[in-house]
Amino acid sequence: MSSTLAKIVEIKAKMTWTQKNKATAHHLGLLKAHLAKLHRELITLKGGGGGGPGEGFDVAKTGDARTGFAGFPSVGKLTLLSNLAGVYSEVAACEFTTLTTVPGVIRHKDAKIQLLDLPGIIKGAKDGKGRGQVIAVALTCNLILIVLDVLKPLGRKKINENELEGFGVRLNSKPSNIGFKKKDKGGINLTAICLQNELDAETVKSILAEYKIHNANVTLRNDATADDLIDVVEGNSLYPLYLCVK
């Protein structure tokens, strides 16, 4: 884990130092792809027992939809869950009271909706601080509800959004219209249906090379970014609805 964190810090430093222009686009794309792979490592438990994303924090998925309550520690997520679903768990006047995901269920118009109180997010969770793995559980949700403390700075809302984005949770967004299909030979064939401001053949090849993909057909049907292509290749990003309560 420590080596992964060190690599993340190193790559982020390189991205900060690198000027953003057409000449460096392929280099930045490569760094973003490498960073995405490292973030994936953070949410995948290692060891002889195997494991998967968010193991130890996730609960069995039930019902017709799943809503995750995300936010900093001690902002009232568990209180909200208790009021909505009648769930009881220890609530104390200290941070990090909830150390595991607490589930609840409500019914609305014959639909069974599972509610999850996720352990508190802290700044830097996406880079391994605190319990960054719990954000992986958000990848299983259809709706993300960010809960804020009205007595704390509003800037915390942006921090929560950034931490979730770091794990591929694309709030209130739609997937980019990118066609991607691996093949056995023939190299990388890129087709752009419209003008591209960021992605070109060299950038696309650099990103795919990071995933050891050297033969594929890629079709860009809208003005896409390196992050958009990485999401398609990774295949585990989520585009949930997003609400915010205070």
Side-chain angles (χ1 to χ4, degrees):
M1 177 69 79
S2 59
S3 61
T4 300
L5 297 179
K7 289 176 183 177
I8 287 176
V9 172
E10 180 182 354
I11 291 174
K12 284 197 161 187
K14 289 180 179 178
M15 292 175 66
T16 301
W17 299 333
T18 303
Q19 277 191 324
K20 294 182 180 180
N21 54 52
K22 199 69 175 177
T24 61
H26 69 282
H27 177 63
L28 284 171
L30 180 62
L31 292 176
K32 287 180 178 181
H34 196 176
L35 189 62
K37 290 174 64 178
L38 292 172
H39 279 157
R40 176 156 41 86
E41 285 184 21
L42 286 179
I43 62 175
T44 303
L45 297 182
K46 307 293 183 180
E55 186 172 328
F57 299 99
D58 201 3
V59 296
K61 192 171 184 178
T62 63
D64 302 295
R66 180 179 251 197
T67 297
F69 293 179
F72 276 84
S74 300
V75 293
K77 300 190 302 296
L78 186 54
T79 300
L80 179 61
L81 178 65
S82 300
N83 289 335
L84 290 174
V87 174
Y88 174 78
S89 182
E90 180 183 1
V91 178
C94 61
E95 296 205 341
F96 296 109
T97 300
T98 306
L99 301 178
T100 59
T101 298
V102 179
V105 174
I106 60 173
R107 293 183 180 275
H108 179 68
K109 295 183 178 179
D110 297 325
K112 186 178 180 182
I113 303 172
Q114 185 180 41
L115 307 179
L116 298 180
D117 169 25
L118 305 178
I121 296 173
I122 64 172
K123 186 175 182 180
K126 68 180 184 299
D127 300 326
K129 292 183 180 179
R131 294 179 299 279
Q133 289 167 328
V134 301
I135 304 180
V137 182
L139 288 168
T140 69
C141 296
N142 307 102
L143 173 71
I144 298 295
L145 184 71
I146 292 183
V147 183
L148 300 175
D149 185 338
V150 294
L151 300 179
K152 298 293 176 64
L154 186 58
R156 287 190 160 204
K157 172 176 173 286
K158 187 63 177 178
I159 293 173
N160 277 279
E161 292 171 348
N162 288 340
E163 297 305 324
L164 291 166
E165 284 279 342
F167 277 110
V169 182
R170 311 303 184 206
L171 301 169
N172 284 352
S173 300
K174 293 183 179 180
S176 190
N177 195 350
I178 297 177
F180 172 70
K181 185 176 182 180
K182 295 180 184 179
K183 56 185 182 179
D184 295 328
K185 57 184 179 180
I188 304 297
N189 292 327
L190 175 64
T191 302
I193 305 300
C194 60
L195 180 65
Q196 300 294 313
N197 289 305
E198 182 172 330
L199 291 180
D200 56 20
E202 186 177 8
T203 304
V204 169
K205 287 180 180 179
S206 295
I207 292 172
L208 296 182
E210 177 65 24
Y211 293 92
K212 295 181 171 56
I213 299 173
H214 304 289
N215 300 286
N217 291 327
V218 179
T219 304
L220 306 177
R221 301 187 182 94
N222 62 281
D223 187 8
T225 66
D227 290 321
D228 292 333
L229 179 58
I230 291 167
D231 283 351
V232 171
V233 177
E234 287 271 346
N236 60 357
S237 292
L238 180 75
Y239 295 81
L241 295 174
Y242 163 42
L243 296 174
C244 183
V245 297
K246 303 176 184 178

